[in-house]
Amino acid sequence: MSYTGNMALFSTVGQATTSALVFAVTAASLALAVVNVLVFRTQARKYRELLRGFGDENAEGRPGRILIPLYVASTLVAAFVTVWLYVADPHVL
Amino acid sequence: MNASPDHGERLVFITDEHWIKFVVPVTVEILLFGTSMLLFAFAGLSAHHSAWLSRMSLVTAALVFWISHHWFFMHLLSESLDRIIITNRRLLRLRYRLLFDEDILEISFEKMKTVDAVKEGLLQNILRYGTLVFESKLAAVKLVKHPNRVARIIQESMAAE
């Protein structure tokens, strides 16, 4: 495996378009992950309030306590790997 | 749908849906993830032969990967919030779909006086899940774990009120 670092990401129109698409999709994915986590936490809070309304505050633990860290971590790792593979072009294959 | 503990309503039982609901999403995610990895590999292999084909494959692989990744986790997060809540006066089936949908089914024991637990087919009987059917199919709650036990809890709540 050799590292030849392809830094001519915008050298041609095709290359520039591909670069823009890759970076845009990665950025959109990170943003979507943030939105999903915020929406989930809002709905989980509504759910806990519903249970408190029945007088039972301990009926349910924290939903998503494993899923959210897993989701965030996998999104960050995938984004890093995607961008690194594209920018560094390590010729792994 | 406000709870009313001051009027004697109390939580009797709470459960989530059966894990069988995750089988299809996990299978689809595995297939899509595998497809995206194959496309990534193809993008790498074709880089020296055809630049545009490699780029197309790379972008397609990234799109397939990210769409399947987010869809899968949104599905898991949504399903993790689904609950079946039984109080002494009603049954609530909560169903959330992140960003898209929120569905709360409420079955009052004042209006529904009978409940049946139905397990259809080999899979439901082996895995012990089924459907709660109220008043001869006026309302139904699917994917209930141990439906006979839950039906008994509901019948006791109905009888007590």
Side-chain angles (χ1 to χ4, degrees):
Chain A
M1 189 172 76
S2 64
Y3 291 88
T4 58
N6 179 14
M7 296 309 295
L9 297 176
F10 300 95
S11 56
T12 65
V13 173
Q15 190 68 30
T17 306
T18 308
S19 302
L21 280 172
V22 170
F23 294 138
V25 167
T26 305
S29 290
L30 292 172
L32 182 59
V34 171
V35 169
N36 283 337
V37 169
L38 291 175
V39 170
F40 176 82
R41 285 203 166 134
T42 301
Q43 290 181 330
R45 200 176 312 123
K46 281 167 58 176
Y47 167 68
R48 277 198 296 275
E49 284 169 7
L50 173 68
L51 287 180
R52 277 196 209 106
F54 290 121
D56 193 338
E57 303 214 11
N58 299 317
E60 186 66 24
R62 283 193 302 122
R65 58 188 175 278
I66 296 173
L67 274 178
I68 288 182
L70 188 63
Y71 179 35
V72 171
S74 61
T75 302
L76 288 173
V77 167
F80 175 78
V81 170
T82 302
V83 172
W84 175 73
L85 280 176
Y86 183 70
V87 173
D89 191 17
H91 289 218
V92 295
L93 294 170
Chain B
M1 197 212 50
N2 293 325
S4 52
D6 294 336
H7 296 93
E9 185 173 23
R10 57 181 172 78
L11 189 67
V12 172
F13 184 72
I14 184 169
T15 183
D16 50 0
E17 294 175 330
H18 197 269
W19 58 261
I20 195 75
K21 66 182 179 178
F22 293 114
V23 170
V24 169
V26 168
T27 306
V28 170
E29 168 63 8
I30 290 171
L31 289 173
L32 290 176
F33 180 79
T35 302
S36 66
M37 290 301 108
L38 286 175
L39 285 170
F40 274 124
F42 181 71
L45 288 169
S46 62
H48 296 292
H49 303 288
S50 173
W52 73 267
L53 187 63
S54 175
R55 288 182 200 134
M56 288 277 295
S57 182
L58 177 69
V59 172
T60 305
L63 281 173
V64 170
F65 172 77
W66 283 120
I67 288 172
S68 65
H69 172 79
H70 288 295
W71 168 80
F72 179 63
F73 275 99
M74 285 172 74
H75 201 91
L76 285 188
L77 288 172
S78 298
E79 297 282 3
S80 74
L81 286 177
D82 289 353
R83 286 295 183 278
I84 298 168
I85 301 171
I86 300 170
T87 73
N88 56 330
R89 296 205 177 145
R90 53 186 165 158
L91 178 146
L92 293 167
R93 196 275 321 274
L94 306 179
R95 182 170 286 174
Y96 294 115
R97 294 294 172 261
L98 291 185
L99 303 177
F100 298 110
D101 188 28
E102 180 177 330
D103 178 31
I104 300 173
L105 171 68
E106 181 178 340
I107 298 171
S108 169
F109 297 159
E110 287 180 12
K111 295 185 173 60
M112 303 284 186
K113 294 297 183 187
T114 63
V115 58
D116 291 323
V118 178
K119 285 194 276 189
E120 292 177 331
L122 188 64
L123 203 60
Q124 290 191 5
N125 279 283
I126 291 175
L127 298 178
R128 297 183 187 176
Y129 73 98
T131 305
L132 295 176
V133 179
F134 292 84
E135 294 285 329
S136 302
K137 296 187 182 178
L138 271 182
V141 178
K142 296 182 179 178
L143 297 171
V144 179
K145 294 192 287 191
H146 305 288
N148 292 315
R149 179 159 62 104
V150 177
R152 195 163 45 246
I153 292 171
I154 294 171
Q155 285 161 355
E156 288 169 1
S157 297
M158 285 175 174
E161 286 300 308

